[in-house]
Amino acid sequence: MLLLLLSGSVFGDQTASERPPNIVLMFADDLGYGDIGCYGHPYARTPAIDQLAKEGTRFTQFYVTGVTCNPSRTGLMTGLFPARLPKYAADFGFGDRTTITELLKKRGYSTGHFGKWHIGPRDSDGTYGIDLVETIGKARDATSGKTGRDHDLYSAAIDFIRDNKEGPFYVNIWGHATHFPVNTADGLVAEFKDVKVDRNDFSLTMQHKFDECQKIGGDLDESMRQYLGDVYQIDLNVGRVLKTLDELGLRENTIVVFSSDHGPAPVILGKQGAREFSNNMLGYAGELRGGKHEQYEGGTRVPFVIRWPGKVQAGRVDSANIASFVDWLPTLCSIAGIKELPSQLDGEDISDIWFGADRQRTKPLFWRTSSTGSTPAMRVDNWKLHLPRKQRGGPELYDLSVDPSERNNIAETHPEVVASLGKSLQAWVAELPAEYEKIEKTEPKKRSRDRKKNR
């Protein structure tokens, strides 16, 4: 009741249509750019997400801020490139950085977070201005039936939406699929019993994953069915949220976004090699090179679908604009009427792009892991530049307008572009911390817990 009173104190004199919109962010984990139907997967069954795209706008050049889970979420929550933070946020939190949830909370929003956390050691209610935090792990019946591993966390988020239907509310729904391990409910796998993989249905960038799957003893058909079933359960849960919004009459004044935190995970993971269920990691980045852990397009470019009836154009495919989750904070603040923003922001307000404008972004996109010796990368207009570590090869330059797969390094034929962009990239690197602090763990720490019983 306290939340509704607080909301009413700010927006009580406004009609529902005059209030700032509700905001629902559904975030998949390790889902590839090409893993859903409307982004070109030949076998995926994603009717709810595909319908969301028909009712809204689908972006084809949308980026995350990091190539692993925490950095991606850090940029989304703070509007800063994660390499700026000297302390790894998964271990230490965001420090004095202001989050989008804190800003919306001050504006009068009810705020909730359900599912994966990975943005700090504290996940209690009130953290980062989030009223209700439920870091829910996989559903107990995830390996049987047809509900899938994200069912419980989506159920909790739906309860939050119902409890705060008077709005406005903001909710993070951060699922676990398709993160390793993919061990899908039998009933979901059975939905794809007729799928037989034709490798010609997939781009060249996918062939090495098929090779690795078979190398470690996997069956391509069965592994693909496992992966497709995990993606399908995401779609089923998205459909549940959309149905709830319709039932409550909230469709018209709710921004709904579906996306992923970065590219798909590898089959064989570096020094860890093959693990149980590794053969099922058949996430697809379409024609894009790379995936999780890599700053190539397959690791940084993700699906992004947004719907806001009457504001965001229905049925539009935006293939021109370059946008990023680093823009999430300033964009939502603009829409919600928040005037006082953090003094330092790497993102920009792209609400006009959401609403249909075509323009060049004003700020470049940068990537680097939180390690002083790691390789930085940047995107400006159609150019993507990767700088090497010291004494390790030369720069890589790609024109993404003609080479989104980053197969043809044209650094040698465009030295002037390398010099110009390289200067900007090095200047950005010079702004970053001289050292980083991270807690070394001898074994994984369990961060998820069962859904709270005292809701």
Side-chain angles (χ1 to χ4, degrees):
M1 188 63 178
L2 174 62
L3 299 180
L4 296 180
L5 288 173
L6 176 60
S7 177
S9 67
V10 178
F11 305 110
D13 294 333
Q14 296 177 316
T15 65
S17 62
E18 293 173 330
R19 292 176 182 173
N22 307 309
I23 303 159
V24 177
L25 171 60
M26 293 177 283
F27 217 27
D29 197 345
D30 295 10
L31 187 77
Y33 176 83
D35 269 337
I36 52 184
C38 60
Y39 279 87
H41 197 286
Y43 310 144
R45 190 182 306 170
T46 53
I49 300 171
D50 296 347
Q51 183 63 30
L52 187 69
K54 291 178 182 178
E55 296 171 354
T57 295
R58 175 170 68 87
F59 284 78
T60 66
Q61 296 197 82
F62 200 95
Y63 290 88
V64 290
T65 61
V67 294
T68 52
C69 300
N70 169 257
S72 178
R73 288 160 170 78
T74 296
L76 180 156
M77 291 290 288
T78 66
L80 295 170
F81 294 123
R84 288 199 185 277
L85 278 65
K87 293 187 176 183
Y88 188 53
D91 296 330
F92 300 98
F94 299 137
D96 60 356
R97 277 73 175 182
T98 303
T99 63
I100 181 57
T101 41
E102 289 171 311
L103 293 167
L104 290 172
K105 175 64 178 175
K106 290 179 181 178
R107 180 73 172 110
Y109 275 71
S110 300
T111 50
H113 180 105
F114 303 90
K116 182 165 181 169
W117 184 247
H118 208 201
I119 49 176
R122 292 183 63 248
D123 60 358
S124 56
D125 294 347
T127 303
Y128 306 137
I130 305 174
D131 297 313
L132 181 59
V133 179
E134 295 196 4
T135 50
I136 300 168
K138 70 178 184 179
R140 285 180 293 276
D141 60 348
T143 57
S144 63
K146 293 179 63 174
T147 59
R149 54 171 152 167
D150 289 340
H151 184 269
D152 287 357
L153 68 93
Y154 269 83
S155 293
I158 288 170
D159 286 347
F160 174 85
I161 291 171
R162 292 187 183 280
D163 291 345
N164 294 278
K165 62 184 178 182
E166 300 304 320
F169 60 79
Y170 172 97
V171 58
N172 284 331
I173 311 177
W174 292 3
H176 299 284
T178 55
H179 192 283
F180 179 88
V182 170
N183 180 25
T184 308
D186 294 339
L188 293 167
V189 176
E191 292 289 319
F192 300 91
K193 63 181 184 301
D194 296 328
V195 168
K196 295 186 181 299
V197 175
D198 182 345
R199 293 176 61 145
N200 293 321
D201 290 337
F202 296 83
S203 70
L204 291 174
T205 58
M206 187 66 173
Q207 302 306 316
H208 77 283
K209 298 187 82 169
F210 289 146
D211 291 340
E212 290 182 343
C213 174
Q214 293 180 319
K215 179 181 178 181
I216 61 176
D219 177 272
L220 285 186
D221 295 339
E222 179 58 28
S223 292
M224 181 61 72
R225 293 165 191 157
Q226 284 277 335
Y227 193 83
L228 293 173
D230 210 20
V231 173
Y232 183 49
Q233 70 89 32
I234 296 175
D235 191 78
L236 291 174
N237 284 311
V238 170
R240 295 170 63 207
V241 170
L242 299 179
K243 181 180 179 182
T244 299
L245 293 173
D246 284 349
E247 289 174 349
L248 298 174
L250 300 177
R251 169 191 283 255
E252 299 303 316
N253 201 34
T254 300
I255 296 174
V256 177
V257 168
F258 176 82
S259 191
S260 177
D261 61 350
H262 46 66
V267 173
I268 298 177
L269 180 60
K271 295 180 180 179
Q272 295 187 41
R275 301 165 287 173
E276 186 180 12
F277 306 119
S278 277
N279 53 289
N280 295 338
M281 303 310 297
L282 293 183
Y284 185 42
E287 65 178 335
L288 306 178
R289 175 181 178 183
K292 184 178 183 179
H293 307 291
E294 299 176 283
Q295 291 171 169
Y296 293 112
E297 291 292 284
T300 57
R301 196 188 299 199
V302 292
F304 183 91
V305 178
I306 180 170
R307 186 188 76 181
W308 187 10
K311 305 293 194 303
V312 172
Q313 185 177 335
R316 177 169 176 251
V317 178
D318 187 323
S319 298
N321 289 296
I322 301 166
S324 167
F325 270 115
V326 79
D327 306 321
W328 186 247
L329 185 152
T331 302
L332 291 184
C333 285
S334 173
I335 290 172
I338 298 171
K339 305 299 184 183
E340 296 185 10
L341 273 64
S343 58
Q344 183 183 36
L345 282 176
D346 290 317
E348 62 185 83
D349 174 12
I350 59 168
S351 57
D352 60 327
I353 291 175
W354 286 6
F355 299 153
D358 285 330
R359 65 167 174 84
Q360 289 185 328
R361 65 178 295 113
T362 62
K363 296 182 178 181
L365 298 179
F366 295 106
W367 296 272
R368 199 189 76 168
T369 63
S370 297
S371 173
T372 54
S374 61
T375 302
M378 71 181 298
R379 175 160 188 189
V380 175
D381 298 331
N382 290 326
W383 300 112
K384 181 83 171 281
L385 176 68
H386 304 261
L387 290 183
R389 297 182 183 181
K390 292 181 179 180
Q391 310 301 323
R392 294 193 181 182
E396 297 179 41
L397 178 69
Y398 302 98
D399 180 351
L400 297 180
S401 67
V402 295
D403 184 23
S405 299
E406 294 174 287
R407 298 174 63 186
N408 182 27
N409 181 7
I410 55 176
E412 290 188 0
T413 57
H414 291 76
E416 74 289 351
V417 177
V418 173
S420 176
L421 297 187
K423 184 177 180 180
S424 297
L425 184 49
Q426 293 288 20
W428 176 72
V429 170
E431 299 175 3
L432 303 180
E435 58 183 25
Y436 292 94
E437 185 175 352
K438 184 176 182 179
I439 297 176
E440 297 295 332
K441 299 177 178 65
T442 56
E443 59 183 35
K445 181 179 179 180
K446 185 177 181 181
R447 292 192 178 275
S448 63
R449 63 174 183 265
D450 289 337
R451 181 178 176 185
K452 295 175 185 175
K453 304 299 183 183
N454 59 343
R455 293 192 69 248

